Amino acid sequence: MNKIRVTIWNEYHHEKKEGKARDLYPNGMHMTLAEKLADDGLEIRVATLDMPEHGLTDEVLNSTDVLLWWGHCRHDDVEARIAAKVARRVKD
């Protein structure tokens, strides 16, 4: 049986900058979600805003069945071409 391929995307901003968020999610909310969702039926990958191409390369998107997008305050920092690429993949 093929595993469901999940990509968890997170800005990863507050967890690095703010005390309470950093205390709650020292490795980022994306890693907390990845750990909680870890299952034999899921293949988990994480991506963050500060990665090249925001971690959402064509290879990553084309090998993603489920995308969890966790954004809060840096929506304007997502490159338009990456947002368009994600939207196309979701619609596909």
Side-chain angles (χ1 to χ4, degrees):
M1 181 165 130
N2 292 336
K3 291 187 175 193
I4 298 170
R5 302 166 303 177
V6 178
T7 299
I8 301 170
W9 187 88
N10 181 23
E11 291 175 353
Y12 194 33
H13 174 77
H14 283 75
E15 303 97 307
K16 292 189 291 186
K17 304 286 184 188
E18 296 183 15
K20 183 162 179 125
R22 188 176 49 242
D23 292 345
L24 290 171
Y25 308 106
N27 297 315
M29 190 175 293
H30 55 292
M31 292 305 297
T32 300
L33 289 169
E35 291 165 6
K36 297 295 183 189
L37 292 174
D39 177 278
D40 288 338
L42 300 176
E43 179 183 311
I44 307 287
R45 161 186 4 228
V46 297
T48 64
L49 182 64
D50 294 331
M51 291 176 159
E53 293 190 63
H54 307 319
L56 300 171
T57 63
D58 289 339
E59 180 182 343
V60 168
L61 290 174
N62 291 333
S63 62
T64 295
D65 299 314
V66 176
L67 175 64
L68 300 178
W69 183 281
W70 193 264
H72 177 66
C73 67
R74 294 186 62 196
H75 300 292
D76 290 342
D77 293 335
V78 176
E79 292 179 39
R81 69 178 185 83
I82 302 296
K85 189 166 61 166
V86 169
R88 267 193 314 275
R89 177 66 174 112
V90 169
K91 290 175 184 177
D92 286 347

